[in-house]
Amino acid sequence: MDSLKQKKYKYVKNMLSPDMVEFLSSYSVKNCNRVDDDVPLSFCHHSTDSDIYYHLLYHLLPIMEKETNLKLKPIYSFNRIYLKGSELLKHTDRDECEISASITLKYYYKNKNYKWPLCMGDTPIVIKTGDGVVYKGREIEHWRPMFTQPDGSWHHQLFVHYVDLNGP
């Protein structure tokens, strides 16, 4: 059985090419200056503020539809740069985030052995650069523990959100 149906999430390799990851991270580091009210000690950049992130929803649409076996409507995307002390509390998403993906862009950890997971329920998942986790955001609680790397370390994540064109 498909893990998206059974577990409400699935790991997907190579959602973004290395070149796309490099481009998005370089662009975002230069333009990401909005303090994120949802996650203290982080910065974000939304698709409402960027044609690049708006069009990225459509770039990823075929992958998202293939991985979910659904016809999807793009809603919005954003990216977040987490810094020391950032923590994403346990939550489920609002209706506009029926089907989502969390894709790792780039990161820099001073401790090279550090791993910072996205947790789906009680399952920690370390997402490699360019890979993502596709999940049913309204149905599964998800979160990240506190980012405990020292100053100068960071983690860059992309989020894309869709709804099922045929309804929930």
Side-chain angles (χ1 to χ4, degrees):
M1 177 178 262
D2 185 294
S3 69
L4 186 61
K5 289 181 181 176
Q6 184 180 26
K7 295 181 182 180
K8 310 297 183 207
Y9 67 89
K10 69 189 293 187
Y11 192 96
V12 179
K13 292 183 178 186
N14 303 312
M15 291 187 76
L16 292 173
S17 69
D19 287 346
M20 183 64 83
V21 167
E22 184 62 39
F23 170 75
L24 292 170
S25 279
S26 296
Y27 172 81
S28 296
V29 166
K30 292 176 187 167
N31 293 288
C32 198
N33 55 12
R34 182 195 300 183
V35 174
D36 192 331
D37 295 330
D38 292 332
V39 179
L41 305 174
S42 69
F43 293 88
C44 64
H45 198 198
H46 285 258
S47 56
T48 56
D49 301 327
S50 166
D51 285 343
I52 291 170
Y53 281 98
Y54 173 79
H55 291 292
L56 191 58
L57 282 166
Y58 291 91
H59 173 76
L60 289 167
L61 183 60
I63 295 169
M64 293 294 292
E65 289 183 336
K66 176 181 177 260
E67 295 299 333
T68 61
N69 293 313
L70 298 170
K71 292 302 270 178
L72 299 172
K73 176 183 177 185
I75 302 298
Y76 74 99
S77 73
F78 72 99
N79 70 98
R80 180 180 288 139
I81 299 173
Y82 297 91
L83 304 174
K84 176 184 174 184
S86 295
E87 181 179 18
L88 180 62
L89 300 176
K90 288 184 181 181
H91 69 284
T92 54
D93 293 333
R94 59 182 177 259
D95 290 347
E96 294 84 0
C97 305
E98 183 179 1
I99 303 292
S100 300
S102 180
I103 304 167
T104 296
L105 295 176
K106 291 180 75 175
Y107 55 86
Y108 172 73
Y109 305 153
K110 288 200 174 175
N111 175 350
K112 302 300 180 200
N113 296 318
Y114 185 73
K115 305 284 187 224
W116 196 46
L118 170 65
C119 298
M120 289 288 160
D122 293 326
T123 304
I125 304 165
V126 175
I127 308 169
K128 294 181 180 178
T129 299
D131 293 354
V133 173
V134 175
Y135 60 99
K136 294 183 175 186
R138 296 182 344 198
E139 296 181 32
I140 187 164
E141 196 171 57
H142 48 283
W143 55 285
R144 282 186 183 268
M146 186 173 289
F147 186 69
T148 59
Q149 285 295 281
D151 287 336
S153 299
W154 50 272
H155 185 100
H156 190 190
Q157 201 73 17
L158 168 66
F159 307 91
V160 290
H161 303 287
Y162 303 82
V163 295
D164 183 347
L165 273 177
N166 296 314

